[in-house]
Amino acid sequence: MFSGFVAVISMIPPLAILPILFIVFGLGEASKIVLIFIGITPVLIRDMSQRTLELPREMTVKAETLGASTMTIALRVALPQVLPRLIQSVRLSLGPAWLFLIAAEAIASDLGLGYRIFLVRRYLAMDVILTYVLWITLLAFLIDWALKALSRKAFPWAEASL
Amino acid sequence: MSFVIADNIFQSYGNRPILEQVSLEVDEGEFVSIVGASGCGKSTFLRLLLAQETPTRGAITVDGNPPAVEPGLERGVVFQKYSTFPHLTVRDNIVAGESFRRPWGRFFGAAQRAARARADETLVRIGLDHVADQYPATLSGGMQQRLAIGQALVARPRILLLDEPFGALDPGTRLSMHDFLTELRAETGMTVFMVTHDLEEGFKLGDRVIVFDKPRWDPDDPGAFGATITYDFDARNGGFPYQTIKEKTHVLRSN
Ligand SMILES: Nc1ncnc2c1ncn2[C@@H]1O[C@H](COP(=O)(O)OP(=O)(O)OP(=O)(O)O)[C@@H](O)[C@H]1O
Ligand SMILES: [Mg+2]
């Protein structure tokens, strides 16, 4: 039921509802954040539920023979094993997240990196645009790197199995 | 009365029969090896013993209790793969054998430290104390299976079910695993069911070797009939029964 709902939601092109978000949330930061949220969470949820289903049946059976309740299996067996994959998919979703951010800022905003790029476009100021592109790339790289470091630190076993 | 009783079990998936008329009585402490062609339903039988599935007809009772509906503490299991938890260290995998039955699946504070200390003792016994802080993925196949068996045993099951536990190991490691299992069994006196493709292994470890096969065969439709137990060998004394002299006679001795 819930997964069907998420599946339908995830089919909505997020950029298509951007105007609605602007009307509802105004032109400020809220709209951008909501756009990114709507854009990437359905994908993350679907990915997580898929990963959970992919956990080998043997593992849950084993936990049951050790006396684990459904709750214990969810919290101690399933959840810890899908968390590193959550970080993995957040890393993969960073691309779309930036896309949504820059698009939102380009269309309606009065600050932010995306806004500035599209502002100076009018003056054909290539050097300024490239500088901003570099900034964005650097930021994206740093966020990705931080997530990777976090994953390494929090889930050392996931690295060991690679 | 026997400890484990399978009474005229049938199991089918859809309308395809896999097992039919399987009846088996096993005493407490017996070691039963299960052999048979691939796909004949050995793992299915083990899943029934485990109560992971309920048979289409018939019932399996343990110690006279009503048939179980889901796997529980009474049964321990080791599969060929995926029998340890990859996100827990070797030590915590052993602790899980005691802690998963707790309300939150874990111990806290002093109980946690005590459980870890007990786990370390277990690890010394199963020869894994030097890798206590590592994760299972960094262990060799033999060490992982030793861990899986140790983990199953700290939960103190009455029945241990093994589905080709040594199938992926090299012959040398296999032999040392045999010694390991024989030792543990002598200590705990558990009832063991082990599926294996290695007849020699089955006869070496088992008290009994049971063979699954199809008694009837329809050449037009190989899936029409299920398998049942076609042989039940006494495997004590290396598979040669009647080797123990029952009476203490002194006829042949000159003293
Ligand atoms: N859940 C299921 N649904 C449908 N068919 C199944 C299911 N589980 C097993 N089977 C079928 O039952 C038959 C017996 O399977 P099983 O795994 O018990 O064989 P096995 O004797 O353990 O074989 P192997 O030695 O290769 O492990 C197979 O033909 C399999 O396709
Ligand atoms: Mg099998």
Side-chain angles (χ1 to χ4, degrees), chain A residues 61-62 65 67-68 76 81 156-157, chain B residues 75 77 87 100 105 135 148 151:
Chain A
V61 171
K62 176 85 190 197
T65 64
R76 296 275 283 141
Q81 293 196 58
W157 59 272
Chain B
R75 298 146 161 89
V77 67
H87 59 293
F100 269 18
Y135 290 95
Q151 181 193 48

Side-chain angles (χ1 to χ4, degrees), chain A residues 108-119:
Chain A
S109 184
D110 44 14
L111 75 176
L113 285 166
Y115 162 72
R116 297 214 182 167
I117 288 181
F118 281 82
L119 181 73

Side-chain angles (χ1 to χ4, degrees), chain B residues 158-169:
Chain B
R158 303 186 69 190
I159 305 174
L160 183 63
L161 302 162
L162 308 169
D163 196 348
E164 299 179 40
F166 314 134
L169 306 181

Side-chain angles (χ1 to χ4, degrees), chain A residues 56-69 71-72 75-78 80-81 156-158 160-161, chain B residues 50 52 71-73 75 77 79 82-83 85-87 100-106 135 137-138 148 151-152 155:
Chain A
R57 179 87 178 92
E58 284 93 333
M59 221 168 301
T60 41
V61 171
K62 176 85 190 197
E64 276 183 290
T65 64
L66 300 180
S69 62
M71 172 87 154
T72 301
L75 289 180
R76 296 275 283 141
V77 180
Q81 293 196 58
W157 59 272
S161 66
Chain B
L50 186 59
Q52 185 186 334
L73 276 171
R75 298 146 161 89
V77 67
F79 299 105
Y82 306 123
S83 287
F85 300 109
H87 59 293
F100 269 18
R101 71 191 70 171
R102 316 280 308 171
W104 289 96
R106 63 186 330 144
Y135 290 95
T138 64
Q151 181 193 48

